[in-house]
Amino acid sequence: MKRLGFLLLVFVMAGSVALFGADKEPIRIGMIASITGDAAEMGIEFMESVLVAVDLINSRGGIHGYPLSVSIVDGQSDPAAFALKAHRLIDNIKVIAGFGACDISFATAAGEVFQAKKTVFTDIAGTTPTIPLVGDYMFMTPIPDNDQGRAVAMYINDVLGYKKTTIFKDIASAYGTKLTEYYIHFLKEFSDDPNPVPLVVTYETFDEDFSPQLTRIKAQAEKLGLEAIVLPTWPRDAPTIAVQARALGIDLAFIGTDGVDTTALIDVGGDSVEGMVYATHYDPSIPGQPQICLDYVEEFRARYDYDPGAFGTMAYDSLMIMVEAVKAVIDEKGEAWWDSAGLADKRTATRDKVATMTFQWTSQAFSFTPEGWPRRALVWRVVENGERVFYDFQSYEDYTPEGVETLPFK
Amino acid sequence: MSTELLLELSEVTAGYGKMPVLHGVSIKCHRGEIVTLLGANGVGKTTTLRTILGQLKPRDGEIKFNGADITRLPPHKTAALGVAHSPEGRNIFGNLTVIENLRAGAHLLKTRKELKEHLDRVYSMFPRLKERRTQIAGSLSGGEQQMLAMGRALMSNPRLMLLDEPSLGLAPQLVKLVADTLTEVNRTGTSVLLVEQNARLALEISRYGYVMEKGAIALEGNAKELGANEQVKKVYLGIA
Amino acid sequence: MRVREGFTAVARYPIGIGLVVLVLFLLDRSLPGFWLTLFLLFGINTILAVSLNITNGWANLFSIGHGGIMLAGGYAAALFTLPVFFKVDIIGLHLPGWILNVQIPFLPALLLGGVVGSIVGILLALPALRLRGIYFILVTLGFNLIMVSIAENLPNYTNGAMGLRQFPLYTNVWWVWGIAFLVIYIALRLRKSYIGRAFIAIGRDQELAEHMGINLLKYKIYAFGLSTFFTAIGGILWVHLILNLFPNAFSLALVFHVVTMIVIGGMGSVSGAVIGAAIITGFTEVLAPIEEGFQVFGVQVPHLFGLTTLLLAVVLILILILRPQGIMGEGEFSLQGLRKRLSRSKAE
Amino acid sequence: MTYFIQQMLNGVCWGSILAMLGAGYTMTFGIIGLVNFAHGEIFMAGAFAAYFALHVAGLPFGVAAVLGILGAIAIGLLVERIAFRPVRGSGMITLFITSFAASIGIRTLFVMLFTDRAKPFSMPAFLKGAYLIGDLFIFKKTIAVVIVLVVVGALLMYLVKKTKTGIAMRAMSYDSETAQSMGINTEKIIIITFIIASALAGVAAIMWGVSYGRIRSSMGMMPVVDAFIASVIGGLGNVFGAIVGGLILGIGETLFVAYLPPELIGLRTLFVWIVLFIIIIVKPSGLFRANVK
C-alpha cells in the first residue's frame, strides 16, 4: 500500500518537473544501484533517498536555475550489468557525473568504465579501501574499512571499554571480511592485548540460522571473558543475530558497524537490539548540519515513514557531492561557459571540483584525500526505545591521530 | 444371449503423429459377449484398444459405449463409464504392493464394502494374489503379474474389459487359468474385447471375431466360422 | 552429404572471412561504448552457449556447473595477468614467486585458463559421468557452489570475498569474436565428424551408443573437456572485460542464463545457441529504458525496476510453451535452407 | 554435554524446516517428475501471506498461519498453471527451466512490490521462552516445530501410504497412462500434489518465521537448494526419506559449525556437497527406497 502511494507520488512529482524550467538544459547525473538481485536490500534505499533529494533540489530552483535530472538505472546485482549501464549513462544519457553501487565488485565494474571515459564516479556504499585505486575519477563516499576498523577498535577500547569481544565475520562478503580483519588488527594495537578477539565466528551471506554460532559464543563467553559481540554485517543479518542471541539467553552487548544502520534493524530486531551501539555516518542531531540536509531527512521521513539510515544518507551525500561540484564549476566559470562547453570539459571540471573542494550540503562537511577516500567523521548511534538516536561522534582527526598507522591495503 | 450393443467403433481412423495406423476400423461388441481381435504383430490391435480407452484421440470416426459417445473422452472418464483395461506387457505398478495395485484398480469404487467385495472376488479367482498381497508387485513372476493385471482390471467391476495379449509368454497351465477366468468373468456379466495372438484359444472362448490387417478389418464373423476359414486356419492357427 | 552453408561458408571462402573482418573492424570503430560492450558480452555468451551446447545439447550431459569452470579458469588466468604490484603490494597474495612476480600476455593466459578449466571439468566429469538425469544436474549444481566456497575460503590465493581487480583491459572485438567464430567453426565441423556424431549418439541413447561400439567414458570426457576448455576461456574474456573477479562472479543466475540460451535457441543447434545468446544478452539491456521510467506526451511513467527480469521470465516460459524444441530445433541455419524457404514462399 | 545437546536442538530445529521443505519438494518430483525450483518462492509467498496477516492486518497467529498456508497454495497453483501444465510432458530439462523462470519471475515480482528488506515475523506469545534444564535451553518454539514436523509428517505418510489418493499418486508416478485407464484423474492428482507440496512449503514458512524472526523476498533462493539436497539424501520421491534427509542435513550443518574451528566454517558448503556426492555415487537411490515413485 505504501508502495502504491509512492508510485502515485512519483507521478505527481514528475508532473511538477515537467512544468518547471523549460528554458535551461537539465544537469544530468546518473545513479547505478542494485535495485533487484542479491543486493536489492540496499539499492532500494538509495533510490528512495535520491528521489527525495532530487525533488528537494529542484523545488529550490535546481542548480543555479538548471533543473537537476538524476537517471537511476538498475545494476541487477551483476557486475556486467553495472558496466553496461555505466556505458549507457555516459554515452546515451550523457551524464556529467555518476554515483552508485554498494559493493567493491559493482563499484569497480562501473568505476572502470567511468574512469575510461573520464567521468567522475563516487561509490555509495562499497567500503573496501581499494575502490579508489581504479583511478583519479573514482571516489568513495563512506568511510573505508581500514578507517572504520580503526575507529571502531579505538572507540571500543577507549570509550566503551570492552576488553574482550567476539565478532561475526561474513566470509562471503568483502565488507564483513575486510572490516573484521582491520578491526582485529587495530584492536591488538590499541589494547596491548595479544588476543583481544579470542573468538571469531564465521557465517555466510544468506545464512538464516545463527544459533549454532551463538551457542558456541555462549558456551565460551565466560571462559574467554567476552563482553560484546561486534556485528559487521549486511543490514538484514545484525538484527536477526541479535534476536536469536537474546532468545538463547546471551546478554553480551552488541556493537554494530555502518552496514546495520537501516530500518530493518528496528523492524526485525525489536527489543533485542535495544541498547545496541553502532557506528554509522550520520545522525540528524549532529551539530552544524546544513538546512538542506535537515529538510531532506524530514521529507524522507514524511514520504517513507522511517529514518534514512547509512545507505540512504550515503546516497544523498554522493548526490550532493556531485551537485555541489557542478554548482562550484558554474560559480567559477559562469553560466555562459556551462552552456557552451563540451561534455568532456564539464566532466573534467566537475571531477576537479570533487577532488579538491569541501562539501557543505552533505550530511557533514568533508573532503576527499588525494587517494579518493573521504575525511569524514564517524557517528555513533544507539537504539533507544525502538528509535535510532545519536550516541557519540568521532571526528576524522579523532580516529586518525598523528602517527597512527593507516594501513591502507592488504 | 442378449443382443444389446455395448461397444461400437464406426470407421475409426487414428494414428501417431502424421502416421495413420487405423484406417476406418469398425467393431461391435454386444453385452455379455467375448469378442476377439486377431492379427499379426503391428497391425494396429493395441492401437485400437488405446483409441477406445481415449489414450489416443481418433482423427475420424465414432466410438460409442453403452449408447454414449466416448470418442474424445479422456481415459479416466472412459474408465468411469465401466471400461477396464489390462494392458499388454502387464504394466502393473511395480512400485506398489499387490494389494495396493488392486486398490489402484478399484479407484472408482466409492465404498469400503464394495472394495472388500471385489477384493474377495479377485482373490477367489486368483488365490495366488492373496498369498502375495503385501509383496511388491515388481518382484512377482510373469504369470503372477498377468494375474495381477487381470485382477486389477476386474477390481472396478467393469462392464467391458479390454484385454491385451493375456497369454503372452505364459506357461500352458497358466494360459488355461486365464481362459477359465475369462469365461468365468464373462458369465458374471462383464463383456470382453480380447486381443490375442493365440488364435486357437481366443476363438475357443469367444463368440465373435475380427481379423485385422494393416490397420483395417479384413475379416469378421462368428468364432466358429472364423475358425473354419481357410485363410485364418493357414495364417493364424498354423494349420496348413 | 548435404552441404551446410551459413557459418561454415564463412570459414570456407576467403572473401567471407575478409567481409567478417571488415564488419568487425567497422563495428569496433563505430559502436558507442554501450553497444560495443553489449556486442562483446554477446560474443562471450556465444562462446559459452556454443560450448555448453556440446555437453548439454549433444551429449545430453546436462551440466549447470559451468560457472565453476569459468571461476577456475578465470582465477588461473587472473593470477598471471594481474599486475605484479597489485598482487604483491596491494592485496598481498601468498603465492609462489613464479606466479607472484610475473605478468604474462593474454594469449598464454587464455590457453592456461582454458587448460585449467578443462582439467577441472574432467575431474568433475569422472565421478559425475556415472550419473544420469537429475543426479548429474545436482552434482554439477553442487560443483558450482563448491567452487565458490573454495574461492571464498582460500584468501591467500584468491583474496577471498574481496575478489581481484586492476585487470588489464585485454578483451576486445578481435579476441571475443575471433574465439567465438573459432568455437562455432569447431562445433559445426565436430557435428559432422565421427567424434561429434558419437556425442550426439550418446545423447540420444546411451545404451544404443554403447552397443554401436562407442566408448562412453572416452567420448563423454572428450565432450566435457572440450566444452569446459572454451567455457573457461569465455570466463577469462568476461573477467578482462568487466575487470572484476570474485567468488560469486559466475553465479547460478549466469549459468542459468547460458542454459536458457541453448534451450530457447534449440538444444543441439549451434546457430540456435548463437541466436539464444543474442536474445538473452540483449533482452534486459535493450528493454532497460522501460523499467527506468520515461516520458510519453509529458506524462512521466514511473520506475518499475525488475520489469525486464520479469518480462524475461515470462518470455522464456512462453517460448518453451509455444516452441518447446527452441527456435532452431535441432537444425542449423543455412543459406540454402533460407533460399529454399524464400523461393517456396514466393511460389505460393 | 550440555553444549552438544544444545547444538543438537539447534540442528533439529533447522533440520525440521529443511525436512518440511524437502518433503514438499520430493512430492512434486516423485509424482510428476518436476524439479521445482519455484518451491522456494512458494515457501516465500507463504511467509509473506502470514506476515501480512500477522503484522499488517493484525490477525491472531492461528489465522495468520492458515492464511500463510493458503498463500503458499495459491502461488503453488499459479506455478502449476503457468510453468508446469502448459509444458507437461516436454521432458525434465524444459520443466526445470520453466520452474527456474517461474522462480525468478515470482521473486522479482515480490521484490518489486515489497522490496527485499528484511521484515519482522514475530513469535506468538505462547511460543516465546524456553524451559531451562540446568544450562540447557529447550525452546518452546523448537518443541512446537518438532511437534508440527511429526504430526504433519505422520499425516503425510498416512496420506501417501494408505489413502486412495495416495495410492493413485504412487500409481501415477510409476505409469501415468495405465493409472488413467484405472479411472484415476491425473489432472486432479497433479493439482492435489501441488496443493499438498505447497501447503508443506507454507508450513515450513511459518516454522521458519517463528524460528528466525525475519522474512525477505529472496528468502526462498538458498533453502530450495537445501531442500533439493535433503530430498536426494533420502531418495528422490520418498517423503519419509526427505524428512530424514532434512534432519540429517540440518543437524550435520549445525554440528559442523558447532565443532570445527571457525576458520573452517566457510567450508560447510563443501562438506555438505562432498557428503552428498558420496551418497549419490555409492547409493544413488538415496538412503531409502522411493515410496512415492
Side-chain angles (χ1 to χ4, degrees):
Chain A
M1 206 51 231
K2 209 159 71 187
R3 192 97 183 119
L4 201 72
F6 158 70
L7 286 180
L8 275 175
L9 223 139
V10 174
F11 264 114
V12 173
M13 175 196 95
S16 64
V17 171
L19 293 174
F20 155 90
D23 53 335
K24 281 182 168 175
E25 186 71 11
I27 289 170
R28 296 183 196 283
I29 293 176
M31 178 174 91
I32 318 181
S34 294
I35 299 163
T36 57
D38 290 351
E41 184 184 24
M42 285 152 277
I44 192 80
E45 192 162 328
F46 296 166
M47 186 171 84
E48 291 173 343
S49 182
V50 164
L51 289 175
V52 172
V54 171
D55 283 357
L56 207 62
I57 293 166
N58 281 335
S59 70
R60 298 177 171 211
I63 307 169
H64 283 312
Y66 294 90
L68 172 65
S69 157
V70 174
S71 302
I72 302 175
V73 294
D74 180 10
Q76 298 168 342
S77 311
D78 167 16
F82 268 86
L84 273 171
K85 308 263 156 137
H87 276 296
R88 247 208 22 248
L89 285 179
I90 294 168
D91 292 338
N92 302 14
I93 304 177
K94 305 204 183 308
V95 297
I96 301 288
F99 60 102
C102 55
D103 181 277
I104 177 167
S105 37
F106 306 146
T108 51
E112 290 280 1
V113 175
F114 274 86
Q115 176 71 32
K117 297 288 177 78
K118 301 237 171 292
T119 308
V120 61
F121 185 83
T122 179
D123 139 67
I124 297 181
T127 54
T128 315
T130 50
I131 288 174
L133 284 184
V134 166
D136 52 352
Y137 281 77
M138 183 87 182
F139 298 88
M140 59 191 288
T141 312
I143 299 172
D145 290 336
N146 50 349
D147 285 348
Q148 188 177 170
R150 189 173 65 244
V152 170
M154 195 177 267
Y155 197 76
I156 288 179
N157 189 60
D158 300 350
V159 182
L160 298 174
Y162 298 123
K163 295 279 172 286
K164 298 273 187 191
T165 50
T166 179
I167 190 163
F168 262 82
K169 175 181 173 187
D170 179 353
I171 55 147
S173 119
Y175 173 72
T177 349
K178 240 11 196 180
L179 201 49
T180 304
E181 226 170 82
Y182 287 121
Y183 169 73
I184 295 174
H185 174 93
F186 284 112
L187 196 58
K188 275 181 188 162
E189 195 177 304
F190 297 144
S191 64
D192 299 322
D193 178 348
N195 195 13
V197 187
L199 179 65
V200 179
V201 289
T202 55
Y203 73 102
E204 274 179 282
T205 313
F206 300 122
D207 275 2
E208 300 281 349
D209 178 17
F210 302 98
S211 49
Q213 285 95 335
L214 288 165
T215 305
R216 199 165 178 154
I217 289 175
K218 189 176 171 229
Q220 300 186 32
E222 215 159 301
K223 197 177 83 200
L224 301 173
L226 298 178
E227 290 167 289
I229 302 176
V230 183
L231 301 171
T233 70
W234 286 45
R236 57 174 176 260
D237 291 333
T240 317
I241 292 172
V243 169
Q244 295 180 15
R246 291 291 183 253
L248 267 169
I250 296 173
D251 52 3
L252 303 180
F254 298 120
I255 297 159
T257 57
D258 60 351
V260 310
D261 188 18
T262 69
T263 174
L265 182 68
I266 310 292
D267 290 349
V268 177
D271 294 343
S272 305
V273 293
E274 193 65 28
M276 174 169 172
V277 175
Y278 64 90
T280 181
H281 293 90
Y282 174 73
D283 188 274
S285 59
I286 46 176
Q289 283 178 68
Q291 189 55 40
I292 184 163
C293 182
L294 293 172
D295 292 350
Y296 150 78
V297 174
E298 199 175 314
E299 175 66 25
F300 190 100
R301 270 195 202 134
R303 207 179 278 189
Y304 306 113
D305 200 25
Y306 64 87
D307 250 8
F311 295 96
T313 25
M314 282 303 102
Y316 164 85
D317 278 1
S318 303
L319 174 64
M320 283 304 167
I321 287 167
M322 300 308 170
V323 168
E324 271 196 270
V326 169
K327 181 170 168 285
V329 170
I330 299 175
D331 278 341
E332 189 185 289
K333 307 205 174 183
E335 289 185 24
W337 181 86
W338 185 263
D339 289 334
S340 60
L343 198 56
D345 292 339
K346 289 193 217 170
R347 284 171 175 169
T348 316
T350 309
R351 181 260 153 199
D352 292 342
K353 281 291 167 208
V354 170
T356 51
M357 72 184 292
T358 301
F359 310 102
Q360 302 297 336
W361 286 0
T362 44
S363 58
Q364 48 174 284
F366 76 97
S367 60
F368 285 114
T369 65
E371 295 89 350
W373 297 314
R375 294 189 199 92
R376 58 186 298 161
L378 190 73
V379 176
W380 287 86
R381 284 174 116 175
V382 65
V383 179
E384 231 174 57
N385 305 320
E387 292 286 333
R388 295 173 280 166
V389 297
F390 181 73
Y391 188 72
D392 204 351
F393 184 85
Q394 266 175 304
S395 72
Y396 182 72
E397 291 72 27
D398 284 345
Y399 68 79
T400 320
E402 282 293 317
V404 75
E405 186 193 359
T406 49
L407 199 82
F409 304 129
K410 283 191 183 171
Chain B
M1 196 160 276
S2 141
T3 51
E4 201 180 326
L5 203 55
L6 188 62
L7 176 74
E8 183 181 14
L9 276 76
S10 19
E11 297 294 321
V12 170
T13 302
Y16 303 95
K18 283 179 183 163
M19 275 257 294
V21 180
L22 303 181
H23 311 274
V25 173
S26 299
I27 291 174
K28 278 183 187 143
C29 180
H30 296 269
R31 193 179 294 276
E33 272 185 347
I34 299 184
V35 172
T36 296
L37 191 56
L38 294 177
N41 260 336
V43 295
K45 291 171 296 177
T46 303
T47 309
T48 309
L49 294 193
R50 285 171 55 92
T51 313
I52 298 171
L53 275 167
Q55 288 173 350
L56 208 62
K57 299 274 174 277
R59 233 168 275 159
D60 207 2
E62 201 185 14
I63 306 170
K64 274 188 168 172
F65 180 73
N66 209 16
D69 185 9
I70 60 162
T71 318
R72 287 176 200 285
L73 231 46
H76 69 271
K77 290 203 172 146
T78 312
L81 292 174
V83 181
H85 181 217
S86 169
E88 185 187 25
R90 322 292 183 256
N91 287 34
I92 51 145
F93 301 120
N95 60 332
L96 305 186
T97 62
V98 170
I99 190 163
E100 283 169 346
N101 261 284
L102 294 175
R103 283 189 62 188
H107 188 79
L108 291 164
L109 297 184
K110 293 278 180 286
T111 62
R112 282 196 162 271
K113 190 168 150 277
E114 270 182 293
L115 177 69
K116 178 98 176 43
E117 244 169 56
H118 292 294
L119 207 54
D120 287 344
R121 187 168 77 119
V122 169
Y123 281 159
S124 69
M125 280 180 198
F126 305 106
R128 198 60 173 276
L129 293 183
K130 191 171 189 181
E131 288 166 31
R132 312 235 149 169
R133 62 182 180 277
T134 55
Q135 199 169 325
I136 292 290
S139 65
L140 296 178
S141 71
E144 289 164 342
Q145 292 197 0
Q146 180 57 48
M147 289 179 210
L148 180 57
M150 279 179 71
R152 190 181 60 182
L154 287 169
M155 280 301 288
S156 59
N157 194 23
R159 290 180 180 181
L160 174 68
M161 194 162 144
L162 308 177
L163 265 175
D164 204 349
E165 306 281 4
S167 72
L168 193 73
L170 291 190
Q173 69 269 31
L174 281 175
V175 174
K176 180 87 175 51
L177 176 69
V178 166
D180 291 349
T181 314
L182 274 185
T183 326
E184 162 75 23
V185 164
N186 185 231
R187 212 175 13 247
T188 55
T190 299
S191 314
V192 177
L193 179 58
L194 176 65
V195 164
E196 198 35 277
Q197 284 201 323
N198 186 341
R200 196 187 305 270
L201 168 88
L203 292 176
E204 212 167 90
I205 58 171
S206 50
R207 190 192 72 79
Y208 202 81
Y210 294 86
V211 177
M212 247 185 141
E213 261 168 30
K214 289 183 191 150
I217 301 296
L219 259 177
E220 61 178 289
N222 282 331
K224 288 208 181 76
E225 290 167 26
L226 273 184
N229 184 301
E230 285 304 315
Q231 205 191 336
V232 174
K233 265 189 187 171
K234 202 166 130 196
V235 181
Y236 299 103
L237 300 175
I239 303 165
Chain C
M1 200 171 72
R2 233 175 90 210
V3 182
R4 284 195 198 282
E5 286 192 39
F7 292 122
T8 31
V10 172
R12 199 163 297 152
Y13 306 114
I15 302 170
I17 296 177
L19 235 123
V20 168
V21 170
L22 184 71
V23 168
L24 286 181
F25 177 79
L26 290 177
L27 287 176
D28 188 30
R29 286 302 153 95
S30 63
L31 279 182
F34 171 70
W35 292 106
L36 186 66
T37 313
L38 201 59
F39 185 56
L40 292 177
L41 281 173
F42 167 37
I44 292 171
N45 283 336
T46 300
I47 297 170
L48 296 177
V50 172
S51 54
L52 190 71
N53 189 39
I54 295 174
T55 50
N56 292 28
W58 292 350
N60 200 13
L61 299 166
F62 201 89
S63 160
I64 50 173
H66 276 50
I69 305 289
M70 289 165 80
L71 207 60
Y75 270 105
L79 294 181
F80 288 95
T81 58
L82 280 173
V84 174
F85 81 93
F86 183 75
K87 289 190 277 189
V88 178
D89 299 328
I90 301 204
I91 53 174
L93 295 177
H94 297 255
L95 291 165
W98 59 273
I99 301 179
L100 202 57
N101 296 317
V102 292
Q103 184 182 16
I104 62 175
F106 199 37
L107 183 63
L110 269 179
L111 292 175
L112 175 92
V115 169
V116 168
S118 204
I119 292 171
V120 173
I122 290 170
L123 284 180
L124 159 72
L126 285 178
L129 288 181
R130 291 181 48 198
L131 305 167
R132 280 202 227 168
I134 191 69
Y135 294 104
F136 190 82
I137 292 186
L138 185 71
V139 165
T140 52
L141 166 72
F143 171 74
N144 233 354
L145 301 179
I146 283 183
M147 292 307 283
V148 173
S149 180
I150 290 176
E152 269 168 11
N153 284 287
L154 291 176
N156 288 345
Y157 309 108
T158 63
N159 203 23
M162 281 74 71
L164 302 171
R165 307 283 152 4
Q166 308 275 312
F167 291 96
L169 179 63
Y170 282 135
T171 303
N172 57 25
V173 165
W174 305 112
W175 280 114
V176 169
W177 281 98
I179 294 171
F181 279 119
L182 180 72
V183 176
I184 292 170
Y185 177 72
I186 290 177
L188 286 173
R189 285 305 294 268
L190 200 63
R191 197 180 172 146
K192 284 187 274 178
S193 73
Y194 177 76
I195 299 181
R197 286 203 300 266
F199 291 169
I200 296 173
I202 292 173
R204 292 249 167 86
D205 187 337
Q206 193 163 318
E207 275 78 27
L208 191 68
E210 201 168 16
H211 282 302
M212 280 159 57
I214 295 171
N215 182 340
L216 288 187
L217 189 66
K218 184 170 127 193
Y219 282 100
K220 280 181 173 182
I221 288 178
Y222 279 180
F224 232 77
L226 188 68
S227 166
T228 49
F229 179 78
F230 284 112
T231 299
I233 285 183
I236 299 165
L237 289 169
W238 189 96
V239 168
H240 292 85
L241 175 67
I242 307 300
L243 308 179
N244 251 295
L245 181 58
F246 55 102
N248 236 342
F250 308 115
S251 59
L252 204 57
L254 182 131
V255 179
F256 174 67
H257 271 166
V258 182
V259 169
T260 307
M261 289 169 202
I262 63 173
V263 171
I264 65 170
M267 291 254 280
S269 164
V270 176
S271 33
V274 180
I275 294 170
I279 294 175
I280 299 294
T281 314
F283 193 92
T284 50
E285 293 311 324
V286 173
L287 292 186
I290 297 178
E291 65 176 16
E292 283 156 15
F294 49 91
Q295 263 179 327
V296 192
F297 307 118
V299 176
Q300 179 78 19
V301 177
H303 304 284
L304 268 177
F305 289 108
L307 194 64
T308 52
T309 315
L310 194 62
L311 276 178
L312 182 65
V314 171
V315 166
L316 193 59
I317 293 177
L318 279 181
I319 289 182
L320 286 173
I321 292 172
L322 300 175
R323 204 173 154 80
Q325 73 274 40
I327 292 167
M328 295 302 296
E330 274 191 41
E332 292 298 347
F333 170 78
S334 75
L335 290 177
Q336 262 186 353
L338 197 68
R339 227 176 280 147
K340 250 185 236 161
R341 201 172 298 171
L342 282 177
S343 60
R344 204 182 309 147
S345 65
K346 247 179 234 164
E348 272 166 14
Chain D
M1 196 61 201
T2 315
Y3 180 67
F4 175 74
I5 297 174
Q6 188 75 63
Q7 290 289 16
M8 279 300 282
L9 287 174
N10 292 336
V12 166
C13 185
W14 174 231
S16 300
I17 294 167
L18 293 184
M20 197 54 87
L21 268 175
Y25 194 83
T26 218
M27 284 205 59
T28 37
F29 182 83
I31 290 157
I32 51 192
L34 171 65
V35 181
N36 190 2
F37 255 90
H39 199 66
E41 275 54 47
I42 296 171
F43 161 75
M44 177 267 286
F48 266 81
Y51 161 78
F52 281 117
L54 202 61
H55 287 261
V56 179
L59 297 170
F61 179 76
V63 181
V66 171
L67 287 175
I69 292 168
L70 290 179
I73 291 174
I75 295 291
L77 291 177
L78 182 75
V79 169
E80 195 270 343
R81 189 69 196 80
I82 60 171
F84 179 70
R85 201 185 300 175
V87 289
R88 215 164 77 207
S90 27
M92 192 185 67
I93 302 300
T94 306
L95 291 177
F96 174 76
I97 305 237
T98 49
S99 80
F100 207 119
S103 155
I104 290 181
I106 296 169
R107 185 161 70 233
T108 309
L109 188 65
F110 271 70
V111 170
M112 283 167 79
L113 292 174
F114 311 118
T115 79
D116 200 17
R117 284 199 189 97
K119 292 173 177 53
F121 193 105
S122 61
M123 240 185 263
F126 66 94
L127 288 177
K128 276 185 184 148
Y131 300 105
L132 206 58
I133 303 175
D135 281 345
L136 190 67
F137 278 80
I138 301 174
F139 293 105
K140 288 181 184 164
K141 66 157 205 228
T142 308
I143 299 172
V145 161
V146 172
I147 290 175
V148 169
L149 178 72
V150 170
V151 170
V152 173
L155 278 177
L156 198 60
M157 294 307 296
Y158 174 79
L159 175 96
V160 169
K161 282 281 186 194
K162 300 290 175 200
T163 64
K164 196 153 100 176
T165 310
I167 289 174
M169 281 175 175
R170 285 152 63 208
M172 192 188 134
S173 79
Y174 192 81
D175 183 345
S176 170
E177 203 169 59
T178 310
Q180 269 190 311
S181 72
M182 312 275 104
I184 293 169
N185 184 348
T186 46
E187 299 279 333
K188 204 172 109 193
I189 298 291
I190 289 173
I191 301 273
I192 292 176
T193 307
F194 261 96
I195 290 177
I196 294 172
S198 308
L200 291 173
V203 174
I206 313 281
M207 286 158 89
W208 175 290
V210 165
S211 300
Y212 305 124
R214 73 161 181 219
I215 63 160
R216 285 183 300 126
S217 298
S218 51
M219 67 193 275
M221 210 163 44
M222 287 291 133
V224 75
V225 176
D226 285 331
F228 195 176
I229 298 174
S231 47
V232 169
I233 292 178
L236 261 172
N238 184 329
V239 175
F240 180 71
I243 291 175
V244 176
L247 286 170
I248 291 177
L249 187 63
I251 294 173
E253 277 192 11
T254 305
L255 292 185
F256 195 92
V257 177
Y259 283 99
L260 284 175
E263 311 84 68
L264 294 181
I265 288 176
L267 296 173
R268 193 180 46 184
T269 323
L270 196 67
F271 161 79
V272 167
W273 283 99
I274 286 173
V275 170
L276 186 73
F277 287 180
I278 293 170
I279 291 181
I280 291 181
I281 287 168
V282 175
K283 204 167 179 307
S285 56
L287 298 180
F288 302 89
R289 193 166 45 77
N291 70 353
V292 167
K293 195 180 168 70

